[in-house]
Amino acid sequence: MALIHPVTLPKWGLEMSEGQISRWIVAEGDSVEPGTELVDIETDKIVNTLDTDRGGILRRILVPEGETAPVGALIAVLAEAEASEAELAAFIASYVPVDASFEPKDEAKSASPEPSPAAEAGAGPKASPLARRIAEQDGIDLAGVQGSGQGGKIKKADLPSRPAALAPDEAARRNTGAHASPVAVNFANALGFDLTGLKPSGYRGRISLADVQAAVQAAGLWSPPAAAIPAAPAVAPAAAAQGGEQPFTGMRKSIANALRHSKQTVPHFYTAMDVEMDALMALRGQFNSGREGAKISVNDFLLRAAALALAAHPEVNIHVSDSGITRFDQVDLCVAVAIDAGLVTPVIRNAAQRSLTEIAAEAGRLIAAARDRSLTAEDLRGGTFTLSNLGMYGVRSFDAIINPPQGAILAVGAPRREARETAEGGLRFASVATLTLSADHRGIDGAVAARFLSTLKARIETPMALVM
């Protein structure tokens, strides 16, 4: 009898119960080799790619793009060319769905006949999809890695560790006297990278910023920010043009449920304050003048200011539940990123202890990962406060919805020119932005919100400390 293998919806995360088929990478009738990426599956706020450690032909796709299936469901069938249509139909009809584990392909093996030794010999090293993807990114040869999983399968924990970043002070000490451009040294120090031994390509053998960026990217310490891509003209689906209902995607459903729960159960109140932005924007221009590589954005300055204000007011850096309040000393700052499928809020860890350039680099990495749908569950886990900036769209002000269990979220509007009275009774013009804090009244009172905004205002209007 020809070999037939099930492709089931895996379980990625303890709370995952279903997933939506986002895109079939392989079409029915295509041959695949071990390690081939089969399908993109949308789960909550991230998209994961399922690959196979089996070879064969994708004979049946049972769950089409756009449809949702529960964990363990049969979504496709791999088989040899010799398998008849009757055998495939019988296999599909008799298949019993299982609760797939984090290593879905091991369960697939237990539910299907074992391959012949000859087939196993040509399959190459067995590895989980995540381990295989990391190995490809880091240039790791899996043939030299000993797997600790079932049957010798290589897991993420088996891969060699990426170089750990040094503390900025230690990096600065090691890089003192390095034959490198000043901007290259500052960039390396901010990311905790030792320049010792780095091959230079700059003028007269000097290490350039491009040399450092290539090295830290290869070491997994930094990713270049994604270039802004103009949005394509929106094309309404045919069903929508006829008034038909479009089902929620997995991400949209998650967002809808979370926001509905927040507005129905969290007693929001709103506090707004106008902030003058001229000094910050002027300092940003000076800071970026002659700077190579990615520029520091206004949003990076705002993230840094918010992190320092939260460190000064830990009573705002909280989680709120029905049973009480949890206050955090560490500021894990979420940055709201709009993508085609909705809104995601990746986390900048320990933001109050990071410099402006470190925050900019990490924010750039997270935004790029959000836009190419490569955020990990760890990038989205936790978070103690969120900043949402719609100023780039010309929005004057807005009231953001709190992301539970966080106690507050800050909404930033666009700067506008306003006339202000001087101390001498004259007039001057200033660029003014409105900051609106949405707070959970169960854990934050009006006076606390006002003090936090006052501190944030002072940080923004006297911004020199933000770059120190």
Coordinates of all heavy atoms in Angstrom, one line a residue, residues 269-342:
F269 N -11.4 56.4 31.7 CA -11.5 57.8 31.7 C -10.3 58.4 31.0 O -9.3 57.8 30.8 CB -11.6 58.3 33.2 CG -10.3 58.4 33.9 CD1 -9.6 59.6 34.0 CD2 -9.8 57.3 34.6 CE1 -8.4 59.7 34.7 CE2 -8.7 57.4 35.3 CZ -7.9 58.6 35.4
Y270 N -10.5 59.7 30.5 CA -9.5 60.3 29.6 C -9.0 61.6 30.1 O -9.8 62.4 30.6 CB -10.2 60.5 28.2 CG -10.8 59.2 27.7 CD1 -12.2 59.0 27.9 CD2 -10.1 58.2 27.1 CE1 -12.8 57.8 27.4 CE2 -10.7 57.0 26.7 CZ -12.0 56.8 26.8 OH -12.6 55.7 26.4
T271 N -7.7 61.8 30.0 CA -7.1 63.0 30.5 C -6.2 63.5 29.3 O -5.3 62.7 28.8 CB -6.2 62.8 31.7 OG1 -7.0 62.1 32.7 CG2 -5.7 64.1 32.3
A272 N -6.4 64.7 28.9 CA -5.6 65.2 27.7 C -4.8 66.4 28.1 O -5.1 67.2 29.0 CB -6.6 65.7 26.6
M273 N -3.6 66.6 27.5 CA -2.7 67.7 27.8 C -2.0 68.1 26.5 O -1.6 67.2 25.7 CB -1.7 67.3 28.8 CG -0.8 68.4 29.3 SD 0.2 68.0 30.7 CE -1.0 67.8 32.0
D274 N -1.9 69.4 26.2 CA -1.2 69.9 25.0 C 0.3 70.0 25.4 O 0.7 70.5 26.5 CB -1.7 71.2 24.6 CG -3.1 71.1 23.9 OD1 -3.4 70.0 23.5 OD2 -3.8 72.1 23.8
V275 N 1.2 69.6 24.4 CA 2.6 69.7 24.6 C 3.3 70.4 23.5 O 3.0 70.1 22.3 CB 3.2 68.2 24.7 CG1 4.7 68.2 24.9 CG2 2.5 67.5 25.9
E276 N 4.2 71.3 23.7 CA 4.9 72.0 22.7 C 6.1 71.1 22.2 O 6.8 70.5 23.0 CB 5.5 73.3 23.2 CG 4.4 74.3 23.5 CD 4.9 75.7 23.7 OE1 6.1 76.0 23.4 OE2 4.2 76.6 24.2
M277 N 6.2 70.9 20.8 CA 7.1 70.0 20.2 C 8.3 70.6 19.6 O 9.2 69.9 19.0 CB 6.3 69.2 19.2 CG 5.1 68.4 19.7 SD 5.6 67.0 20.7 CE 6.3 65.9 19.5
D278 N 8.4 71.9 19.5 CA 9.4 72.6 18.8 C 10.8 72.2 19.2 O 11.7 71.9 18.4 CB 9.3 74.1 18.9 CG 8.0 74.6 18.2 OD1 7.9 74.8 17.0 OD2 7.0 74.8 19.0
A279 N 11.1 72.2 20.5 CA 12.4 71.9 21.0 C 12.8 70.4 20.7 O 13.9 70.2 20.3 CB 12.5 72.1 22.5
L280 N 11.8 69.5 20.8 CA 12.1 68.1 20.5 C 12.4 67.9 19.0 O 13.4 67.3 18.6 CB 10.9 67.3 20.9 CG 11.1 65.7 20.8 CD1 10.3 65.0 21.8 CD2 10.7 65.2 19.4
M281 N 11.6 68.6 18.1 CA 11.9 68.4 16.7 C 13.2 69.1 16.3 O 13.9 68.6 15.4 CB 10.7 69.0 15.9 CG 9.4 68.1 16.1 SD 8.0 68.5 15.0 CE 7.5 70.1 15.7
A282 N 13.5 70.2 16.9 CA 14.8 70.8 16.6 C 16.0 70.0 17.0 O 17.0 69.8 16.3 CB 14.9 72.2 17.2
L283 N 15.9 69.4 18.2 CA 16.9 68.5 18.7 C 17.0 67.2 17.8 O 18.1 66.8 17.5 CB 16.6 68.1 20.1 CG 17.7 67.1 20.8 CD1 19.0 67.8 20.8 CD2 17.2 66.7 22.2
R284 N 15.9 66.7 17.4 CA 15.9 65.6 16.5 C 16.7 65.9 15.2 O 17.5 65.1 14.7 CB 14.5 65.1 16.1 CG 14.4 64.0 15.1 CD 13.0 63.6 14.7 NE 13.0 62.6 13.7 CZ 12.7 62.9 12.4 NH1 12.4 64.2 12.0 NH2 12.7 62.0 11.5
G285 N 16.4 67.1 14.6 CA 17.1 67.5 13.4 C 18.6 67.6 13.6 O 19.4 67.1 12.8
Q286 N 19.1 68.1 14.8 CA 20.5 68.2 15.1 C 21.1 66.8 15.3 O 22.2 66.5 14.8 CB 20.7 69.0 16.3 CG 20.3 70.5 16.2 CD 20.2 71.2 17.6 OE1 20.8 70.7 18.5 NE2 19.6 72.4 17.6
F287 N 20.3 65.9 16.0 CA 20.8 64.6 16.3 C 21.0 63.8 15.0 O 21.9 63.0 14.9 CB 19.8 63.9 17.2 CG 20.3 62.6 17.8 CD1 21.1 62.7 18.9 CD2 19.9 61.4 17.3 CE1 21.6 61.5 19.5 CE2 20.4 60.2 17.9 CZ 21.2 60.3 19.0
N288 N 20.1 63.9 14.0 CA 20.1 63.2 12.8 C 21.0 63.8 11.7 O 21.3 63.2 10.7 CB 18.7 63.0 12.2 CG 17.9 62.0 13.0 OD1 18.5 61.0 13.5 ND2 16.6 62.1 13.0
S289 N 21.5 65.0 12.0 CA 22.3 65.7 11.0 C 23.6 65.0 10.7 O 24.4 64.7 11.7 CB 22.6 67.2 11.4 OG 23.4 67.8 10.5
G290 N 23.8 64.6 9.5 CA 25.0 63.8 9.2 C 25.0 62.4 9.7 O 26.1 61.7 9.5
R291 N 24.0 62.0 10.2 CA 23.9 60.6 10.8 C 23.7 59.6 9.6 O 22.9 59.8 8.8 CB 22.7 60.5 11.7 CG 22.5 59.1 12.4 CD 21.3 59.1 13.3 NE 21.0 57.8 13.8 CZ 21.6 57.3 14.9 NH1 22.4 58.1 15.6 NH2 21.3 56.1 15.4
E292 N 24.6 58.6 9.6 CA 24.4 57.5 8.6 C 23.4 56.5 9.1 O 23.2 56.3 10.3 CB 25.8 56.8 8.4 CG 26.9 57.8 7.9 CD 28.2 57.1 7.7 OE1 28.2 55.9 7.4 OE2 29.3 57.7 8.0
G293 N 22.8 55.8 8.1 CA 21.9 54.8 8.4 C 20.5 55.3 8.9 O 20.1 56.4 8.5
A294 N 19.8 54.5 9.6 CA 18.4 54.8 10.0 C 18.4 56.1 10.9 O 19.2 56.2 11.8 CB 17.8 53.6 10.8
K295 N 17.5 57.0 10.7 CA 17.3 58.2 11.4 C 16.4 57.9 12.7 O 15.6 57.0 12.7 CB 16.6 59.3 10.6 CG 17.3 59.6 9.3 CD 18.7 60.2 9.5 CE 19.4 60.6 8.2 NZ 20.7 61.1 8.4
I296 N 16.6 58.7 13.7 CA 15.8 58.7 14.9 C 14.5 59.4 14.6 O 14.5 60.6 14.2 CB 16.5 59.3 16.1 CG1 17.9 58.6 16.3 CG2 15.7 59.1 17.3 CD1 17.8 57.1 16.6
S297 N 13.4 58.7 14.8 CA 12.1 59.4 14.5 C 11.5 60.1 15.7 O 12.0 59.9 16.9 CB 11.1 58.3 14.1 OG 10.7 57.5 15.2
V298 N 10.5 61.0 15.5 CA 9.8 61.6 16.6 C 9.2 60.6 17.5 O 9.3 60.8 18.8 CB 8.7 62.6 16.0 CG1 7.9 63.1 17.2 CG2 9.4 63.8 15.3
N299 N 8.7 59.5 17.0 CA 8.1 58.5 17.8 C 9.1 57.8 18.7 O 8.8 57.5 19.9 CB 7.4 57.4 16.9 CG 6.4 56.7 17.7 OD1 5.4 57.2 18.2 ND2 6.5 55.3 17.7
D300 N 10.4 57.7 18.3 CA 11.4 57.2 19.1 C 11.7 58.1 20.3 O 11.8 57.6 21.5 CB 12.7 57.0 18.3 CG 12.6 56.0 17.2 OD1 11.8 55.0 17.4 OD2 13.3 56.2 16.2
F301 N 11.7 59.4 20.1 CA 11.8 60.3 21.2 C 10.6 60.2 22.2 O 10.8 60.2 23.4 CB 11.9 61.8 20.7 CG 13.3 62.2 20.2 CD1 13.7 62.1 18.9 CD2 14.1 62.8 21.1 CE1 14.9 62.5 18.5 CE2 15.4 63.2 20.8 CZ 15.8 63.1 19.4
L302 N 9.4 60.1 21.6 CA 8.2 59.9 22.5 C 8.3 58.7 23.3 O 7.9 58.6 24.5 CB 7.0 60.0 21.6 CG 6.7 61.3 20.9 CD1 5.5 61.2 20.0 CD2 6.5 62.5 21.9
L303 N 8.7 57.6 22.7 CA 8.8 56.3 23.4 C 9.8 56.5 24.6 O 9.6 56.0 25.7 CB 9.3 55.2 22.5 CG 8.3 54.7 21.5 CD1 8.9 53.8 20.4 CD2 7.1 53.9 22.2
R304 N 10.9 57.1 24.3 CA 11.9 57.3 25.4 C 11.4 58.2 26.5 O 11.5 57.9 27.7 CB 13.2 58.0 24.8 CG 14.2 58.5 25.7 CD 15.1 57.5 26.3 NE 16.2 58.1 27.0 CZ 16.8 57.6 28.1 NH1 16.4 56.5 28.6 NH2 17.8 58.2 28.6
A305 N 10.7 59.3 26.1 CA 10.1 60.1 27.1 C 9.0 59.4 27.9 O 8.9 59.6 29.2 CB 9.4 61.4 26.4
A306 N 8.2 58.6 27.3 CA 7.1 57.8 28.0 C 7.8 56.8 29.0 O 7.3 56.7 30.1 CB 6.2 57.1 27.0
A307 N 8.9 56.2 28.5 CA 9.5 55.2 29.4 C 10.0 55.9 30.7 O 9.9 55.3 31.8 CB 10.6 54.5 28.6
L308 N 10.7 57.0 30.5 CA 11.2 57.7 31.7 C 10.1 58.2 32.6 O 10.2 58.2 33.8 CB 12.1 58.9 31.2 CG 13.4 58.5 30.5 CD1 14.2 59.7 30.0 CD2 14.3 57.6 31.3
A309 N 9.0 58.7 32.0 CA 7.9 59.2 32.8 C 7.2 58.0 33.6 O 6.8 58.2 34.7 CB 6.8 59.9 31.9
L310 N 7.2 56.9 33.0 CA 6.6 55.7 33.7 C 7.5 55.2 34.8 O 7.0 54.8 35.8 CB 6.4 54.5 32.7 CG 5.2 54.7 31.7 CD1 5.4 53.7 30.5 CD2 3.9 54.6 32.4
A311 N 8.8 55.3 34.6 CA 9.8 55.0 35.7 C 9.6 55.9 36.8 O 9.7 55.5 38.0 CB 11.2 55.0 35.2
A312 N 9.3 57.2 36.6 CA 9.0 58.2 37.6 C 7.7 58.0 38.3 O 7.5 58.5 39.4 CB 9.2 59.6 37.1
H313 N 6.7 57.4 37.6 CA 5.4 57.2 38.1 C 5.0 55.7 38.0 O 4.1 55.4 37.1 CB 4.4 58.1 37.3 CG 4.6 59.5 37.5 ND1 4.2 60.2 38.6 CD2 5.3 60.4 36.8 CE1 4.5 61.5 38.5 NE2 5.2 61.6 37.4
P314 N 5.6 54.8 38.8 CA 5.2 53.4 38.7 C 3.8 53.1 38.9 O 3.3 52.0 38.6 CB 6.1 52.7 39.7 CG 6.5 53.8 40.6 CD 6.6 55.1 39.8
E315 N 3.0 54.1 39.5 CA 1.6 53.9 39.8 C 0.8 53.8 38.5 O -0.4 53.5 38.5 CB 1.1 54.9 40.7 CG 1.1 56.4 40.2 CD 2.5 57.1 40.5 OE1 3.5 56.4 40.8 OE2 2.5 58.3 40.5
V316 N 1.4 54.2 37.4 CA 0.8 54.2 36.1 C 1.2 52.9 35.3 O 0.6 52.4 34.4 CB 1.0 55.4 35.2 CG1 0.4 55.4 33.9 CG2 0.6 56.7 36.0
N317 N 2.4 52.4 35.7 CA 3.0 51.3 35.0 C 2.5 50.0 35.7 O 3.2 49.3 36.4 CB 4.5 51.3 35.1 CG 5.3 50.3 34.2 OD1 4.9 50.2 33.1 ND2 6.2 49.6 34.8
I318 N 1.2 49.7 35.4 CA 0.5 48.6 36.2 C -0.3 47.7 35.3 O -0.6 48.0 34.2 CB -0.4 49.3 37.3 CG1 -1.5 50.1 36.6 CG2 0.4 50.1 38.3 CD1 -2.6 50.6 37.6
H319 N -0.7 46.6 35.9 CA -1.8 45.7 35.4 C -2.9 45.8 36.4 O -2.7 45.8 37.6 CB -1.3 44.3 35.3 CG -0.4 44.0 34.1 ND1 0.1 42.8 33.8 CD2 0.0 44.9 33.1 CE1 0.7 42.9 32.6 NE2 0.7 44.1 32.2
V320 N -4.1 45.7 35.9 CA -5.3 45.8 36.8 C -6.2 44.6 36.5 O -6.4 44.3 35.3 CB -6.1 47.1 36.5 CG1 -7.3 47.1 37.5 CG2 -5.2 48.3 36.7
S321 N -6.6 43.9 37.5 CA -7.6 42.8 37.3 C -8.7 43.0 38.3 O -8.7 43.9 39.1 CB -6.9 41.5 37.6 OG -6.5 41.3 39.0
D322 N -9.7 42.0 38.3 CA -10.8 42.1 39.2 C -10.4 42.0 40.7 O -11.1 42.4 41.6 CB -11.8 41.1 38.9 CG -12.5 41.3 37.5 OD1 -12.6 42.5 37.2 OD2 -13.0 40.4 36.9
S323 N -9.2 41.3 40.9 CA -8.8 41.0 42.2 C -7.8 42.0 42.8 O -7.5 42.1 44.0 CB -8.2 39.6 42.3 OG -7.1 39.5 41.4
G324 N -7.2 42.9 41.9 CA -6.2 43.8 42.4 C -5.3 44.5 41.4 O -5.6 44.3 40.2
I325 N -4.3 45.1 41.9 CA -3.3 45.9 41.0 C -1.9 45.3 41.2 O -1.5 45.0 42.3 CB -3.3 47.4 41.4 CG1 -4.7 48.0 41.3 CG2 -2.3 48.2 40.6 CD1 -4.8 49.4 41.9
T326 N -1.2 45.1 40.0 CA 0.1 44.7 40.1 C 1.0 45.8 39.5 O 0.8 46.3 38.4 CB 0.4 43.5 39.2 OG1 -0.5 42.4 39.6 CG2 1.8 43.0 39.3
R327 N 1.9 46.3 40.4 CA 2.8 47.4 40.0 C 4.1 46.9 39.5 O 4.7 46.0 40.1 CB 3.0 48.4 41.1 CG 3.8 49.6 40.8 CD 4.0 50.6 42.0 NE 2.7 51.2 42.3 CZ 2.5 52.1 43.2 NH1 3.6 52.6 43.9 NH2 1.3 52.6 43.5
F328 N 4.7 47.4 38.4 CA 6.0 46.9 37.9 C 7.0 48.0 37.9 O 6.8 49.2 37.6 CB 5.8 46.5 36.4 CG 4.8 45.4 36.2 CD1 3.4 45.7 36.0 CD2 5.2 44.1 36.3 CE1 2.5 44.6 35.8 CE2 4.3 43.0 36.1 CZ 2.9 43.3 35.9
D329 N 8.2 47.6 38.4 CA 9.4 48.5 38.4 C 10.0 48.6 37.0 O 10.5 49.6 36.6 CB 10.4 48.0 39.4 CG 10.0 48.1 40.8 OD1 9.2 49.0 41.1 OD2 10.4 47.3 41.6
Q330 N 9.9 47.5 36.2 CA 10.4 47.4 34.9 C 9.4 47.9 33.9 O 8.2 47.5 33.9 CB 10.9 46.0 34.5 CG 11.4 45.9 33.1 CD 12.1 44.6 32.8 OE1 13.0 44.2 33.5 NE2 11.6 43.9 31.7
V331 N 9.8 48.8 33.0 CA 8.9 49.3 32.0 C 9.0 48.5 30.7 O 10.0 48.6 30.0 CB 9.2 50.8 31.7 CG1 8.2 51.3 30.6 CG2 9.0 51.7 32.9
D332 N 8.0 47.7 30.4 CA 7.9 47.0 29.2 C 6.9 47.7 28.3 O 5.7 47.5 28.4 CB 7.5 45.5 29.4 CG 8.6 44.7 30.1 OD1 9.8 45.1 30.0 OD2 8.3 43.7 30.8
L333 N 7.4 48.5 27.4 CA 6.6 49.5 26.7 C 6.1 48.9 25.3 O 7.0 48.5 24.5 CB 7.4 50.7 26.4 CG 6.8 51.9 25.8 CD1 5.5 52.4 26.6 CD2 7.8 53.1 25.7
C334 N 4.8 48.9 25.1 CA 4.3 48.4 23.8 C 4.2 49.6 22.9 O 3.8 50.7 23.2 CB 2.9 47.8 24.0 SG 2.8 46.4 25.1
V335 N 4.5 49.3 21.6 CA 4.3 50.3 20.5 C 3.3 49.8 19.6 O 3.4 48.7 19.0 CB 5.7 50.6 19.8 CG1 6.4 49.3 19.3 CG2 5.5 51.6 18.7
A336 N 2.2 50.5 19.3 CA 1.2 50.1 18.5 C 1.6 50.3 17.0 O 2.1 51.3 16.6 CB -0.1 51.0 18.7
V337 N 1.5 49.2 16.2 CA 1.9 49.1 14.8 C 0.7 48.7 14.0 O 0.1 47.6 14.2 CB 3.0 48.2 14.6 CG1 3.5 48.2 13.2 CG2 4.2 48.5 15.6
A338 N 0.3 49.5 13.0 CA -0.8 49.2 12.1 C -0.3 48.4 11.0 O 0.7 48.8 10.3 CB -1.5 50.5 11.7
I339 N -0.9 47.3 10.7 CA -0.5 46.5 9.5 C -1.8 46.2 8.8 O -2.9 46.5 9.2 CB 0.2 45.1 9.9 CG1 -0.7 44.3 10.8 CG2 1.5 45.4 10.6 CD1 -0.1 43.0 11.2
D340 N -1.7 45.5 7.6 CA -2.9 45.3 6.8 C -4.0 44.6 7.5 O -5.2 44.8 7.4 CB -2.5 44.6 5.5 CG -1.7 45.4 4.6 OD1 -1.7 46.7 4.7 OD2 -1.0 44.9 3.7
A341 N -3.6 43.6 8.3 CA -4.6 42.7 9.0 C -5.1 43.3 10.3 O -6.1 42.7 10.8 CB -3.9 41.3 9.3
G342 N -4.6 44.4 10.8 CA -5.1 45.0 12.0 C -4.0 45.7 12.8 O -3.2 46.4 12.2

